[in-house]
Amino acid sequence: MVLPIKWLNQYVDLSDVDNASLIHELTMSGSKVETLEYLGEGIENVVVGRAVSVEKHPDSDHLNICKIDVGGENDLQIVTGAQNVTVGALVPVALNGSELPGGIKIKTGKLRGVVSEGMLCSIAELGLTLHECPYAVEDGILILQNGTPGEDIKKTLGLDEYCIEFEITPNRPDCLSVVGLAREAAATYDRPLKLEPPRRPEGEGSVADYLSVSIESKLCRRYMARAVKDVKIAPSPAWLRERLHAAGVRPINNIVDITNYVMLEYGQPMHAFDYACLDGSAITVRTAAEGELMNTLDGKERKLSADMLVIADSKKPVAVAGVMGGENSEITESTKTVIFESANFDGTSVRLTSRALGMRTDSSGRFEKGLPPELALPAIDRACELVEELGAGTVVGGLIDVYPDKVRPGSIKPDYKRINQLLGTELEPEVMDGYFARVGLEKLVDGSLEIPYWRSDIECTADLAEEVARLYGYGNIPTTMFDSVAEVVTTTPAQELRNRLDELCTGLGFDETVTYTFISPKYYDKICLPADSVLRKSVKIINPLGEDTSVMRTTALPSMLEVAAYNQNVRNAAASLYEIGVVYTPVLGEDGEVDPEALPAETRKLMLVKYGAGESFFTLKGVVEAVLERVTGIAPSFTALSDDPSFHPGRTASVTLGDIKVGVLGEIAPAVADNYGFNDRVYAAELDIDSIVAAGSKKPSYEKISRFPALLRDIAVVCDEAVTIAELSDTIRSAAGKLLKKVELFDIYRGERMEKGKKSVAFSLSFADENGTVEDTRADAAFAKIVKNLESKHGAILRS
C-alpha cells in the first residue's frame, strides 16, 4: 500500500513530524514501512516560466527564440524547437545546471549561434504522461494550466510529495486504505482523527426506476448500487489526478478516477457500469455457466467456470466479481448514465478466480484478504459525494442495498490480568482502556469492548494484548518470565521410539537426512525393479509440481541412494546416512490397479546407507544388530537373501526379530550402483518400524561377572559352503546351554587342503560358572554335545 503523506495529513495532522520519525513510529506500532519515495526525485532547478516574447531564429526555420520570465530581474533567453509556445504561456523551464529524470543535466549553450540559457520541458522530459497531464500534447512543450513564474515545478505539478510504501499483513485489510493507515497514525501519535462520514447526496428520482438487483449466490454477502445521470466524462481535476499518481494509480477519466480514489481512500473496491450497456435494467449476482465467455477491461477473452462469481445483466456477464469489469459495459466518452457498484464478495472465491484467470488486480488483492460488508456503504456515499463535488453528473435519489445476512458487531471482554501476564507488565486497566479507545474499541455498559467492523482481526485476549503492546511500546515492556507454571510435556510411544532411533543412529556415527515422499517413477528403474513389481504401483499426485515429483514412493531406497550419490559427487569420500521416513502402499482394486479413491497405508521406515573405505556388509550388519537389540532387547537373526533385484544376490540378508521379518540389508547390486554413478560399494538397510514394534521388546537382563576363571576351548569344523556362520553359532549356543558364555568366530578357511564346496570354520568358546570353577569334565561334556549337534544338524565334522 502506497500512502502519500499529504493525503495522510488530511485525516490526522502530522505536519510537525519529520519523515524519519514517522516511518520509525509507524513501523514500531505495527505498520511496517518498506520504502519512502519522493515523487520529484531527479528533478532539480526546474521552475515555472512565462513566455514574454516568441521570435523566429534568424538561422533556422524550425527554431524559436523565447524570452521567459522566471521571476527574476532579467528574463532568460531560451531557444526551442517546439511550435506550441505562445506569448503568455506558462511553461516548465530547466535552468542552467538543472537536472531531469534519467540523469539528464542542462547547461547554458548555443543553438545555431544563439545563446540558450536553459530548456523548455515536455511531459516526457519531466517523467510524466498524458494520464497525469491530459491537457498536454505529446510532441510539444508542456503548457501549464496554473503556476507563478519562478515557482518550483514540483510544487506546481504536485511532485513535491513523499510517499510511504507499507507491507500490509493479510490480517489487516483495513490498512489497505488511506483511512485505515490514518487510523493507525492517529492511534500511534494519540492525535485526533479528522474523519467525517461522507455526505449522502439525495437527488431527484429513484434508482429503483433504473435498476433492480438480486443475489443468487452466498459468495456475495452484500450488493449496493446507485445511479448517476447526465454524466459528463472529462479529465479529473489536478488535485485528484495528483493523488492517484502519487498512490501509483493511473488517472483515466473523472468517473473511473472516482472509483479508484474511493478504493484507495476507504479500501473498498468499486465499479462503474455504463447503464446503456446493461440489458434488461437488472443486475444478478450469480455463478458463471461452465465455459461462459466474456471480454474483460484488459481486452482479453476469459473462459469462466461454474465456481466463479460474476455480475450479470439479463443476457450476459458484465464483470468478474471482485476482479475486473467487462469490456461490454466500459465507461466511455459517450456514457451518459452510470451505475455505481459497491459490494462485498467472498475473499476465497475472489482469490481462486483471480488465480485461475491469471488476473491479479488492486480490487482482487483487497477482497481476497476479507473485507467487511459494512464498508460498502461509506464507499458508495463517498463516490456520489465526489460526483457532485467534481460536477461529473447528477446523482439519482435512492439506494439499492441487498444485504441478506447482516453482520452484527462483535464484542470482547478484556481480561486485564491476563494481558499483563502475557506482556509481563503491570499496567492499570484505565491505561489499557485508553489504548483500546485509540484503536476504535468502544467500551460498552457491561464492560466489554465493541469491535469496530474494520478490525475483524481482533478475536481474543491475545489480540487485545497485542494492541496494548504496540501502543505502550515494545521497548517499554520489561524482560520477565511468564507468570505461570510450565506444563509437563509428555511424548507418545511413537515419539519415544523416534527419539530413541535418532539417538542410536547418531550415536553410531550416522547423519540424518530428510527426503521428499513424492518421487519420479523413473526412480524405480534406477533400483532395477522388475516391470511387474508391486512396488511400481504408486499413488499418483493429481497436480504434481513436475514429473520428478509425480508419485508417492513405495520404497525409500532410491531417495536415500540419491542423497548418497550427491554426497559422493561433491567429493565426500565416505558417508553414513539415515532417515526415518514414510512410504505409501496403495490399495489395489480387483483389477490389480491402484484404487484412486482409497487412502494408501502409511508405513514408517528406518533407512540406513553407508559407503566409503573400510565399509562392508558386516559393518552395516553390526549397526542393524546394535539398533535392534537396544530398541527391542531381542537379538535379530539374518537369513541369506538372493531374490531382491536392488541388492547383491550374494551379500544380502533378510532381518527377523523372532518370527517377524522386519527388513533387509546388504550391498547394493552392481547394476544399481552403476545407475547412480557410485565408485565404491554401497550398503543399505531398510527396516520397517511398525514391524519392529510388533515384534515386542524384552527388558534388559544383567548377569554377574563370575569371580571364577573361564575355561577356553577352540573348535573347528568342516561344513558345506551353504551353511551360514549364524546357523553354526546358534547350534553351538543351544547345545552348550548356560555353561557357555561366549562364542566368537576367529577363522574361516578355504584352501587347497579343503575339499571343493567345503569350508573350515573355527570358534572360540568360553565356559564359565558364577558358582565355581568349571571342571574339565563338565566342559568336555558340553563340547561333545556341541560336536554331536553340529554334525546332526549341519553335517559339520570336527576338523582333525
Side-chain angles (χ1 to χ4, degrees):
M1 174 68 191
V2 177
L3 175 66
I5 293 180
K6 288 183 181 178
W7 200 349
L8 172 65
N9 278 309
Q10 176 183 330
Y11 294 105
V12 53
D13 185 6
L14 300 172
S15 56
D16 59 328
V17 180
D18 63 85
N19 291 339
S21 174
L22 180 62
I23 288 172
H24 175 75
E25 294 300 330
L26 289 179
T27 297
M28 293 307 296
S29 68
S31 303
K32 182 186 175 185
V33 174
E34 287 289 298
T35 59
L36 176 69
E37 179 188 2
Y38 183 55
L39 292 184
E41 188 73 31
I43 301 177
E44 295 295 337
N45 209 20
V46 180
V47 300
V48 176
R50 175 180 284 110
V52 177
S53 66
V54 178
E55 299 177 357
K56 286 290 184 182
H57 192 291
D59 293 330
S60 174
D61 294 334
H62 69 279
L63 295 177
N64 291 327
I65 303 173
C66 303
K67 292 290 186 179
I68 305 294
D69 173 14
V70 292
E73 294 182 2
N74 300 314
D75 297 337
L76 298 182
Q77 178 175 282
I78 295 178
V79 180
T80 179
Q83 303 301 309
N84 66 324
V85 179
T86 59
V87 174
L90 294 172
V91 293
V93 182
L95 304 177
N96 179 43
S98 62
E99 185 175 335
L100 297 174
I104 300 172
K105 295 184 178 180
I106 306 300
K107 294 184 178 181
T108 297
K110 288 185 177 182
L111 290 176
R112 294 286 182 93
V114 177
V115 174
S116 182
E117 300 176 289
M119 184 182 79
L120 306 185
C121 302
S122 66
I123 54 173
E125 288 161 337
L126 294 172
L128 302 173
T129 68
L130 288 176
H131 292 290
E132 291 82 46
C133 303
Y135 51 85
V137 292
E138 285 188 290
D139 57 352
I141 299 300
L142 172 60
I143 306 301
L144 302 170
Q145 293 185 319
N146 58 359
T148 303
E151 181 181 63
D152 191 326
I153 194 66
K154 290 179 287 190
K155 180 179 180 181
T156 305
L157 295 177
L159 299 177
D160 58 336
E161 173 71 284
Y162 283 92
C163 299
I164 304 174
E165 183 177 1
F166 291 88
E167 178 187 334
I168 305 301
T169 53
N171 66 320
R172 293 299 305 272
D174 59 302
C175 289
L176 288 170
S177 66
V178 176
V179 169
L181 290 171
R183 288 192 181 105
E184 289 297 294
T188 300
Y189 284 93
D190 194 15
R191 296 189 179 184
L193 180 69
K194 297 180 289 185
L195 176 63
E196 297 293 332
R199 180 178 56 84
R200 182 177 302 173
E202 290 294 346
E204 296 181 356
S206 173
V207 65
D209 298 332
Y210 291 77
L211 191 71
S212 64
V213 174
S214 62
I215 297 177
E216 295 182 356
S217 172
K218 291 184 178 180
L219 297 177
C220 177
R221 295 192 291 175
R222 189 177 193 180
Y223 195 97
M224 307 186 75
R226 292 202 71 171
V228 178
K229 63 181 181 178
D230 303 328
V231 171
K232 305 174 186 67
I233 301 296
S236 297
W239 68 267
L240 196 150
R241 294 198 311 270
E242 289 169 5
R243 284 192 174 177
L244 292 178
H245 173 62
V249 175
R250 186 184 68 181
I252 297 175
N253 60 52
N254 51 3
I255 296 297
V256 175
D257 291 351
I258 285 173
T259 61
N260 287 332
Y261 187 88
V262 172
M263 178 184 69
L264 293 172
E265 190 174 36
Y266 281 84
Q268 170 68 41
M270 291 187 61
H271 189 64
F273 299 101
D274 187 334
Y275 177 71
C277 299
L278 299 178
D279 290 310
S281 298
I283 282 180
T284 302
V285 187
R286 60 172 174 82
T287 51
E290 188 65 39
E292 193 168 13
L293 300 175
M294 74 168 290
N295 289 345
T296 47
L297 285 172
D298 56 4
K300 296 181 180 179
E301 184 179 68
R302 308 289 180 176
K303 186 176 182 179
L304 309 176
S305 59
D307 56 353
M308 295 179 181
L309 192 67
V310 296
I311 313 302
D313 59 21
S314 60
K315 295 182 179 179
K316 62 187 182 300
V318 292
V320 180
V323 182
M324 187 178 288
E327 199 175 40
N328 53 17
S329 60
E330 181 181 7
I331 303 299
T332 64
E333 292 183 358
S334 60
T335 299
K336 297 302 179 185
T337 303
V338 165
I339 300 296
F340 277 133
E341 165 196 287
S342 182
N344 185 269
F345 305 114
D346 179 76
T348 301
S349 171
V350 172
R351 179 178 61 82
L352 294 175
T353 298
S354 172
R355 187 173 66 178
L357 297 178
M359 301 167 60
R360 182 163 180 83
T361 62
D362 288 335
S363 175
S364 67
R366 285 169 168 80
F367 274 123
E368 68 185 28
K369 291 176 175 61
L371 298 180
E374 291 79 6
L375 187 58
L377 180 58
I380 201 167
D381 284 345
R382 178 60 169 151
C384 293
E385 183 181 45
L386 286 171
V387 166
E388 290 196 343
E389 184 178 336
L390 271 55
T394 302
V395 178
V396 176
L399 169 69
I400 294 176
D401 184 5
V402 183
Y403 193 1
D405 299 311
K406 189 171 182 179
V407 178
R408 294 183 178 180
S411 63
I412 184 171
K413 190 84 170 179
D415 186 341
Y416 301 107
K417 180 179 178 181
R418 179 57 180 161
I419 292 173
N420 275 325
Q421 285 180 333
L422 288 171
L423 300 181
T425 55
E426 296 181 357
L427 298 175
E428 295 296 329
E430 294 76 13
V431 175
M432 296 189 199
D433 286 340
Y435 294 142
F436 297 146
R438 281 160 63 175
V439 296
L441 294 168
E442 183 179 345
K443 195 156 190 178
L444 302 176
V445 176
D446 63 355
S448 61
L449 302 171
E450 184 176 75
I451 302 172
Y453 69 80
W454 60 84
R455 289 303 304 272
S456 58
D457 60 303
I458 297 178
E459 298 177 344
C460 60
T461 299
D463 296 326
L464 293 179
E466 183 180 2
E467 299 302 307
V468 171
R470 67 192 188 95
L471 295 180
Y472 177 60
Y474 295 113
N476 296 323
I477 297 176
T479 302
T480 59
M481 295 293 291
F482 280 110
D483 185 18
S484 61
V485 178
E487 296 182 4
V488 177
V489 179
T490 58
T491 56
T492 65
Q495 291 171 329
E496 291 178 359
L497 176 60
R498 169 65 192 253
N499 294 340
R500 183 67 176 139
L501 290 173
D502 282 329
E503 291 173 0
L504 290 170
C505 290
T506 54
L508 290 165
F510 282 72
D511 295 309
E512 185 178 13
T513 183
V514 179
T515 60
Y516 289 121
T517 56
F518 33 86
I519 62 174
S520 167
K522 296 178 182 178
Y523 276 22
Y524 298 139
D525 297 331
K526 295 184 75 172
I527 62 171
C528 297
L529 287 183
D532 59 350
S533 173
V534 69
L535 291 177
R536 286 184 176 269
K537 297 184 184 297
S538 306
V539 175
K540 294 181 179 179
I541 298 175
I542 295 176
N543 55 342
L545 298 175
E547 177 66 18
D548 291 341
T549 55
S550 59
V551 299
M552 304 303 292
R553 67 185 182 188
T554 57
T555 171
L557 180 61
S559 302
M560 291 296 290
L561 293 179
E562 287 285 341
V563 176
Y566 173 79
N567 274 269
Q568 181 187 255
N569 291 339
V570 295
R571 299 186 179 183
N572 191 0
S576 297
L577 307 169
Y578 84 95
E579 178 181 8
I580 300 172
V582 177
V583 299
Y584 297 83
T585 304
V587 177
L588 303 182
E590 295 181 357
D591 58 354
E593 297 302 319
V594 176
D595 183 353
E597 301 297 327
L599 292 175
E602 298 184 23
T603 307
R604 296 177 298 163
K605 297 285 185 178
L606 170 62
M607 296 297 304
L608 301 166
V609 171
K610 290 175 76 72
Y611 73 85
E615 301 294 357
S616 69
F617 169 87
F618 296 104
T619 56
L620 183 60
K621 176 175 175 285
V623 169
V624 171
E625 285 180 315
V627 170
L628 294 180
E629 284 188 11
R630 283 164 174 77
V631 168
T632 66
I634 303 172
S637 57
F638 303 89
T639 306
L641 186 67
S642 60
D643 60 353
D644 192 318
S646 301
F647 289 88
H648 192 295
R651 302 185 184 120
T652 304
S654 64
V655 185
T656 58
L657 287 172
D659 298 329
I660 299 177
K661 180 179 178 181
V662 297
V664 61
L665 73 89
E667 181 184 328
I668 295 300
V672 176
D674 289 343
N675 289 340
Y676 286 93
F678 286 112
N679 300 323
D680 302 315
R681 291 181 177 181
V682 184
Y683 303 91
E686 184 173 20
L687 305 176
D688 187 285
I689 294 177
D690 295 334
S691 296
I692 294 172
V693 173
S697 63
K698 294 181 179 179
K699 292 183 178 180
S701 59
Y702 302 91
E703 294 183 2
K704 294 180 181 178
I705 298 176
S706 177
R707 295 183 294 109
F708 303 98
L711 181 63
L712 302 180
R713 293 284 180 90
D714 291 343
I715 182 172
V717 295
V718 177
C719 61
D720 293 336
E721 280 284 2
V723 180
T724 65
I725 306 301
E727 291 173 330
L728 296 174
S729 179
D730 289 344
T731 298
I732 291 172
R733 291 178 184 279
S734 62
K738 294 183 178 180
L739 191 64
L740 181 65
K741 299 303 180 183
K742 186 184 296 184
V743 179
E744 290 185 343
L745 173 73
F746 69 86
D747 181 58
I748 300 176
Y749 173 74
R750 301 177 181 87
E752 296 178 357
R753 291 182 293 174
M754 192 62 56
E755 182 182 346
K756 187 177 181 180
K758 299 287 186 176
K759 63 184 176 183
S760 172
V761 183
F763 296 93
S764 175
L765 310 180
S766 177
F767 298 96
D769 189 342
E770 64 180 21
N771 297 318
T773 302
V774 177
E775 299 175 354
D776 286 340
T777 54
R778 294 179 65 193
D780 290 343
F783 191 88
K785 191 174 181 181
I786 290 170
V787 172
K788 181 179 179 181
N789 276 266
L790 288 174
E791 182 177 0
S792 63
K793 290 185 178 181
H794 308 295
I797 306 299
L798 188 67
R799 182 179 176 184
S800 58

